[in-house]
């Protein structure tokens, strides 16, 4: 059994795994100011970015779902790995050879399950690519050639060939040290009467990679007449491969998707290849399943889609009836995007691959450029099924299209499409059409409830939060003044808890200039997971001040908190004075009066400092 990874190696993995680079394999991050980055959270569905990454401290935190931690925690959560497996994966990424206590170096066969399965798929992909040049792979090479793909194109996409043998890949993987159980569990083989046998035989093979570039499955195209299986065969569900979350080509397209704010959804592996080779490098495809909600979540993270409606998602479908049905299914999920959504359909029914073969690269680019808004396509495809030469046909078409228009959440857009629908149907009676749509809309069930209005945040609590953030992120700006604050200077329970941890960790004197070491010290003092979450949150939450005024801002926040303590002292002094008899207890009364005057002066100074922010 593998020993424990040495602490020094874990620290080295953290040091050589920049969190912005690792997170960037899964999420498009944008500059949020103050050294922070922001993107759409990969752990929950959200409309606007609340996921923050702070490279300086190596931390991330989502203010929507409260997920947070360091780079190792991120890999644990995003890929559902144990701590050890996450460290091993990051070590492999950074080229670090780990050492294990209780036995020293542990060979690869003792590493975590996911790492083993990823390695097996990598070896399988290399095996298939090597076999593509073998004599028995001639049908595969012919298939590619007829579709306009050259040898170099196949190499870019890793296309290979699975030999028409019962155990070709299985023998190869066993010889490389993988177990029969691993080969079957990864979906590369299936159990036969005499042991595992290859799942894919005599087929053209496309490696399916996740966003980081790891091979997690395969798509296989039938080539031989003797093959009685389906035209396309995909890897079954496995610890690596979840078809509802997989997009073929995302590893190659993600950078361009983020750069161009565009994603093109096509229907097959060759269509992805054709688009990329034609100058549409944002194309991806689903793998053996319809485009759905989980695919949307993957794309939104790279589009960074949000309320500005700047990006676009373009669906390409065949022009036949099946393609139109697929487009209408996509419409059902359209409003889960915040980007603009389009459909591109070739009038003659050619898919991007065939279009490229027959008309060239420019025709593929023109197809994408000719996109049509998805709402418009869905409505017009619906009414096209009816005879609009009769009133009966027009009414039937209106009733069929009304639910589509009524389902548009944006009020202005809904009205515009209602007007368009009236024009397309030829009624020339906008009021009648809009009334019909309104009736359908009122009858539709399950409308989302408006989110409850959040209670306003107490200004003093907001000041407390800013001061706590400064103590965690920029402790040198606060100095010993922060350490003189009493615990009751803070009122919000979260702030009280973090202040207690800061004191336990040695306060500003121990913090120095802050950074990763100070955050680690705070995390080590945190008594439980909830407290560690608080530290992570305050380490990532951006400070509400520009860097060039942070020193003045820190002084102002301290003054504001100190002023509250002085307010309490003033209230106590006044209360004691009210209980005294100015004649009989003149000395004590005068002493308290003098104290009150001094406190009032101190409060005035602090208020002026606080206003200086």
């Amino acid at each position: 059994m593998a020993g424990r990874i040495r602490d020094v190696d874990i620290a080295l993995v953290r040091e050589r795994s920049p969190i912005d680079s690792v997170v960037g394999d899964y999420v498009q991050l944008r500059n949020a100011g103050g050294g922070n980055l922001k993107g759409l959270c990969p752990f929950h569905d959200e409309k606007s970015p609340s996921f923050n990454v702070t490279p300086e401290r190596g931390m991330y935190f989502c203010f929507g779902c409260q997920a947070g931690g360091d780079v190792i925690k991120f890999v644990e959560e995003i890929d559902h790995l144990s701590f050890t497996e996450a460290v091993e994966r990051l070590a492999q990424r950074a080229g670090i050879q780990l050492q294990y206590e209780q036995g020293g170096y542990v060979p690869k066969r003792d590493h975590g399950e996911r790492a083993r399965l990823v390695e097996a798929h990598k070896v399988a992909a290399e095996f298939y690519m090597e076999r593509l040049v073998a004599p028995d792979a001639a049908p595969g090479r012919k298939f590619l050639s007829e579709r306009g793909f050259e040898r170099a194109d196949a190499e870019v996409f890793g296309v290979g060939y699975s030999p028409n043998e019962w155990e070709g890949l299985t023998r190869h993987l066993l010889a490389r040290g993988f177990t029969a159980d691993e080969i079957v569990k990864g979906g590369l083989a299936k159990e036969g009467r005499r042991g595992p046998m290859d799942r894919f035989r005599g087929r053209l093979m496309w490696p399916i990679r996740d966003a980081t570039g790891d091979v997690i499955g395969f798509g296989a195209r039938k080539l031989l007449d003797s093959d009685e299986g389906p035209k396309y065969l995909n890897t079954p569900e496995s610890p690596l491969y979840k078809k509802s979350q997989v997009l073929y080509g995302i590893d190659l397209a993600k950078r361009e998707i983020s750069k161009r704010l565009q994603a093109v959804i096509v229907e097959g592996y060759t269509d992805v290849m054709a688009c990329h080779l034609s100058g549409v490098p944002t194309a991806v495809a689903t793998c053996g399943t319809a485009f759905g909600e989980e695919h949307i979540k993957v794309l939104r993270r790279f589009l960074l889609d949000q309320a500005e409606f700047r990006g676009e998602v373009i669906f390409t479908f065949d022009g036949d009836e099946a393609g139109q049905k697929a487009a209408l299914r996509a419409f059902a999920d359209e409003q889960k995007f915040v980007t603009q959504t389009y459909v591109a359909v070739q009038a003659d029914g050619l898919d991007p691959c065939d279009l490229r073969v027959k008309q060239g690269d420019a025709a593929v680019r023109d197809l994408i450029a000719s996109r049509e808004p998805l709402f418009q396509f869905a409505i017009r495809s619906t009414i096209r099924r009816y005879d609009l030469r009769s009133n009966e046909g027009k009414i039937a078409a209106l009733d069929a299209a009304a639910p589509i228009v009524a389902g548009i959440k944006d009020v202005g857009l809904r009205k515009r499409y209602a007007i368009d629908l009236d024009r397309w149907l030829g009624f020339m009676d906008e009021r009648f059409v809009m009334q019909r749509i309104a009736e359908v809309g009122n009858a539709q069930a399950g409308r989302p409830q408006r989110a409850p209005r959040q209670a306003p945040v107490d200004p003093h609590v907001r000041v407390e939060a800013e001061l706590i953030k400064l103590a965690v992120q920029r402790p040198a700006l606060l100095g010993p003044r922060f350490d003189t604050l009493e615990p009751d200077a803070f009122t919000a329970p979260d702030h009280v808890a973090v202040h207690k941890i800061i004191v336990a960790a040695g306060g500003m004197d121990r913090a120095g200039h802050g950074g990763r070491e100070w955050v680690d010290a705070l995390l080590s003092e945190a008594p439980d997971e909830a407290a560690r979450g608080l530290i992570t949150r305050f380490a990532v939450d951006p400070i509400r001040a520009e860097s060039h005024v942070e020193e003045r801002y820190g002084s102002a926040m301290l003054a504001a908190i100190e002023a509250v303590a002085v307010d309490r002292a003033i209230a106590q002094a006044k209360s004691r004075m009210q209980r005294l008899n100015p004649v009989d207890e003149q000395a004590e009364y005068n002493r308290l009066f003098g104290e009150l005057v001094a406190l009032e002066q101190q409060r005035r100074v602090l208020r002026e400092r606080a206003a200086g922010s």
Side-chain angles (χ1 to χ4, degrees), residues 86-128:
V87 172
E88 289 170 344
R89 179 164 191 182
L90 288 169
Q92 184 180 27
R93 184 182 188 274
I96 298 171
Q97 181 172 295
L98 299 173
Q99 298 290 325
Y100 295 73
E101 295 173 349
Q102 304 173 10
Y105 174 69
V106 177
K108 285 187 177 180
R109 65 174 176 272
D110 291 331
H111 283 194
E113 178 186 86
R114 189 186 192 282
R116 293 284 296 157
L117 295 182
V118 167
E119 184 68 19
H121 279 74
K122 177 183 176 183
V123 172
E126 293 168 349
F127 172 82
Y128 290 143

Side-chain angles (χ1 to χ4, degrees), residues 558-571:
L558 266 172
I561 294 296
E562 290 169 337
V564 173
V566 173
D567 285 341
R568 283 198 294 269
I570 289 173

Side-chain angles (χ1 to χ4, degrees), residues 401-441:
I404 299 175
V405 181
I408 299 174
K409 294 178 182 178
D410 184 282
V411 176
L413 200 59
R414 184 165 67 242
K415 182 176 180 180
R416 292 309 311 171
Y417 275 111
I419 295 171
D420 286 341
L421 178 58
D422 172 54
R423 179 166 50 85
W424 294 332
L425 292 174
F427 280 118
M428 306 306 291
D429 188 346
E430 293 175 6
R431 181 175 295 181
F432 168 71
V433 171
M434 293 177 74
Q435 181 180 350
R436 198 87 166 193
I437 291 169
E439 290 171 356
V440 170

Side-chain angles (χ1 to χ4, degrees), residues 31-36 57 462 465-467 469-470 473-474 477-478 540-557 610 612-613:
N31 191 336
N36 292 287
R57 288 173 288 281
R462 186 180 291 115
E466 288 301 292
L467 190 60
K469 281 190 285 184
L470 287 163
Q473 299 179 29
R474 299 284 189 271
L477 298 177
L478 303 181
V540 171
D541 194 2
I543 294 168
R544 297 174 181 268
E546 298 294 333
S547 57
H548 66 282
V549 297
E550 279 185 353
E551 185 173 354
R552 188 166 74 247
Y553 185 72
S555 178
M557 294 301 102
S613 63

Side-chain angles (χ1 to χ4, degrees), residues 285-301:
T286 59
C287 301
T289 186
F291 187 85
E293 187 170 350
E294 292 300 316
H295 299 118
I296 291 175
K297 291 179 181 179
V298 173
L299 278 183
R300 289 191 67 230
R301 297 201 300 266

Side-chain angles (χ1 to χ4, degrees), residues 43-80:
F43 302 116
H44 83 290
D45 193 21
E46 60 180 4
K47 289 294 184 184
S48 58
S50 60
F51 182 82
N52 287 256
V53 174
T54 305
E56 179 186 355
R57 288 173 288 281
M59 309 294 288
Y60 72 92
F61 188 81
C62 175
F63 292 91
C65 69
Q66 312 301 305
D70 64 4
V71 68
I72 297 174
K73 182 70 172 179
F74 178 82
V75 173
E76 282 184 73
E77 296 296 324
I78 196 75
D79 286 324
H80 308 290

Side-chain angles (χ1 to χ4, degrees), residues 258-555:
S258 298
K259 178 181 176 182
R260 302 186 184 203
L261 294 179
Q262 178 199 75
V264 176
I265 315 300
V266 298
E267 292 197 309
Y269 308 121
T270 56
D271 292 332
V272 171
M273 294 175 68
C275 283
H276 281 249
L277 296 171
S278 298
V280 184
T282 57
V284 294
T286 59
C287 301
T289 186
F291 187 85
E293 187 170 350
E294 292 300 316
H295 299 118
I296 291 175
K297 291 179 181 179
V298 173
L299 278 183
R300 289 191 67 230
R301 297 201 300 266
F302 292 110
L303 284 166
L304 192 62
D305 99 33
Q306 50 189 307
E308 287 86 347
F309 277 85
R310 291 176 299 168
E312 57 183 28
V313 175
I314 304 169
F315 294 92
T316 66
F317 299 103
D318 294 342
D320 58 16
E321 185 176 353
Q324 291 187 13
K325 287 182 178 179
L328 292 174
R329 284 197 302 271
F331 169 80
D333 286 323
E334 194 277 343
Q335 292 175 100
K336 291 174 183 172
F337 286 107
V338 187
T339 50
Q340 301 172 80
T341 315
Y342 299 88
V343 173
V345 177
Q346 183 68 13
D348 54 14
L350 296 177
D351 59 32
C353 181
D354 291 336
L355 184 62
R356 178 173 179 262
V357 171
K358 295 186 177 182
Q359 299 182 32
D361 292 350
V364 176
R365 296 194 297 271
D366 289 344
L367 168 64
I368 304 305
S370 68
R371 63 200 183 278
E372 177 182 7
L374 182 54
F375 285 131
Q376 177 177 309
F377 178 85
I379 296 168
R380 301 197 75 163
S381 295
T382 298
I383 65 177
R384 198 175 293 130
R385 301 197 300 264
Y386 298 88
D387 181 1
L388 303 183
R389 293 171 298 181
S390 68
N391 287 329
E392 290 80 3
K394 290 179 180 180
I395 290 294
L398 172 57
D399 288 346
I404 299 175
V405 181
I408 299 174
K409 294 178 182 178
D410 184 282
V411 176
L413 200 59
R414 184 165 67 242
K415 182 176 180 180
R416 292 309 311 171
Y417 275 111
I419 295 171
D420 286 341
L421 178 58
D422 172 54
R423 179 166 50 85
W424 294 332
L425 292 174
F427 280 118
M428 306 306 291
D429 188 346
E430 293 175 6
R431 181 175 295 181
F432 168 71
V433 171
M434 293 177 74
Q435 181 180 350
R436 198 87 166 193
I437 291 169
E439 290 171 356
V440 170
N442 291 334
Q444 287 178 338
R447 290 177 182 253
Q449 297 295 315
R450 178 177 295 179
R453 181 177 296 178
Q454 293 184 339
V457 178
D458 184 331
H460 178 69
V461 172
R462 186 180 291 115
V463 170
E464 289 180 10
E466 288 301 292
L467 190 60
I468 290 292
K469 281 190 285 184
L470 287 163
V472 174
Q473 299 179 29
R474 299 284 189 271
L477 298 177
L478 303 181
R481 276 178 64 193
F482 181 90
D483 292 337
T484 64
L485 295 175
E486 297 295 332
D488 60 3
F490 299 92
T491 58
D494 287 354
H495 304 159
V496 173
V498 176
H499 176 259
K500 184 176 180 180
I501 293 171
I502 291 171
V503 172
M508 300 300 96
D509 183 55
R510 160 79 187 281
H513 291 284
R516 183 57 194 265
E517 290 184 4
W518 173 233
V519 173
D520 286 344
L522 295 174
L523 289 170
S524 67
E525 290 290 343
D528 51 36
E529 193 62 36
R532 284 188 285 275
L534 287 175
I535 298 298
T536 302
R537 188 180 93 199
F538 285 111
V540 171
D541 194 2
I543 294 168
R544 297 174 181 268
E546 298 294 333
S547 57
H548 66 282
V549 297
E550 279 185 353
E551 185 173 354
R552 188 166 74 247
Y553 185 72
S555 178

